[in-house]
Amino acid sequence: MLDIAYYPGCTLFEKAKELDRQAKNIANVFGYNLTEIPEWTCCGTVFPDTSKNISRLVGPYRMLANTASISDKLLTICSACFNVLKRTNKIVRENQEIREKLEGYTELTYNGDIEVIHYFEFLRDVVTYEKISEKIPVKRKLKVSPYYGCLLLRPHDELMFDDPENPTFLRDIITALGDESVEIPSQNECCGAYLLLNRQKEDLNLAKKIGLESQDFGSEILVTSCPSCYYALGKSGEANAVYFTEYMSGALGL
Amino acid sequence: MKNEINEEILKEFKKLSEENVHDCYQCGKCSAGCPSAANMSILPHMVIRRLQRNQPVEAIIEDAIWKCTSCMTCWSRCPKKVNLCRIMETLRFIYMTKYNDKYPISEIPKELLEEAPQQLIISGMRKFTY
């Protein structure tokens, strides 16, 4: 078993425990052990877009600095955590002024040299799709729609993960698992989860649109990795949304 | 009086966002791709237009800044790479530092707090409170 430094984040620790458990089980199947980094805290979930908000980078900076002493890679599953940690890592690497301020805040030195990876990158680059494909006992031939959401794709310049207009990583996993990928037009559009706290009726319209599209295209399930998307899509009542780990566990027979 | 407020907000805006709104040539691609545009009282490119005309108050009083879902589609498609996502965030930030929280935590319904994922609650709080 190879250990990989892993940051679960608050949501996987509480409301999305199954995402955390299933992801660990899947990694075990391929001979990897997701080891939680010590003393992790909330990442802040939103990358601060106003330049005054350096204090909001302290949380992710502290986690990255703590990881640097034990590993050169940090794996995360939650889309928001990935977005925040990866963008923080980049800004720390490239912006000396911000780095020095964060050093002053935390009394930890870190220059941005670890790599933040998402679970999908781990499946794609470390495990590889061929290995995944070999482990499938029976091909179920389901019709599955990938739903990517925003935080794994944009901003592309900073995340460098997949094409924000035509992403393929979920499609490739679905194909590797022996199912049919049914791509819907809204697969990379926002589900509007942020707006739910506004408590206005139209706020579920975006999630409903995604759900209805998946029905129209005849897909049986809609897979996503983001806890907020999962919540909004489920709340819309139109989509049969599941976490990709749940879907993958089913395919692997776990 | 209004001019003074406009000037003050504009100064704050430039300092916080570090965006040059005059890069925008009003092609409207942001509004065309915005998932929330249908619910906004003015379209995203009109928010920028009001800033270009030195009328940030006219932009800040519209609900467009609160309907923005921070999905970054506008920014990723902009031919001039204007970060509208950042502009919206800065306007929200200025509104809240100047006036008040948009939705205080005490007003969030209890059932939403119980069932929503932490990620959503925290990001919502960061968006709607200062």
Side-chain angles (χ1 to χ4, degrees), chain B residues 19 22-25 27 75 77-83:
Chain B
E19 283 292 309
H22 297 284
D23 277 347
C24 167
Y25 50 45
C27 69
W75 173 29
R77 291 182 183 168
C78 176
K80 295 284 282 177
K81 288 278 160 259
V82 175
N83 191 343

Side-chain angles (χ1 to χ4, degrees), chain A residues 173-202:
Chain A
I173 287 187
I174 292 169
T175 321
L177 292 174
D179 294 323
E180 186 191 340
S181 164
V182 181
E183 281 151 83
I184 56 169
S186 300
Q187 60 176 356
N188 60 343
E189 276 183 21
C190 182
C191 69
Y194 272 150
L195 295 179
L196 283 175
L197 292 191
N198 280 20
R199 308 175 302 284
Q200 284 150 10
K201 269 202 181 134
E202 74 256 29

Side-chain angles (χ1 to χ4, degrees), chain A residues 72-139:
Chain A
D72 60 347
K73 269 199 186 84
L74 179 61
L75 181 136
T76 180
I77 298 170
C78 172
S79 303
C81 302
F82 172 70
N83 191 291
V84 171
L85 289 172
K86 186 136 187 183
R87 291 174 77 182
T88 306
N89 201 33
K90 187 169 191 287
I91 212 166
V92 167
R93 195 185 308 145
E94 291 173 3
N95 191 322
Q96 197 191 346
E97 191 195 333
I98 289 182
R99 183 168 68 231
E100 279 167 7
K101 278 188 183 160
L102 287 168
E103 268 178 32
Y105 262 115
T106 57
E107 296 179 351
L108 292 166
T109 30
Y110 172 62
N111 51 15
D113 52 8
I114 70 162
E115 194 190 350
V116 178
I117 58 166
H118 189 266
Y119 197 71
F120 284 126
E121 286 176 285
F122 160 73
L123 292 178
R124 182 183 66 189
D125 306 332
V126 183
V127 177
T128 71
Y129 296 145
E130 291 85 53
K131 287 251 174 66
I132 296 174
S133 207
E134 283 166 15
K135 290 268 182 189
I136 308 296
V138 190
K139 303 222 158 155

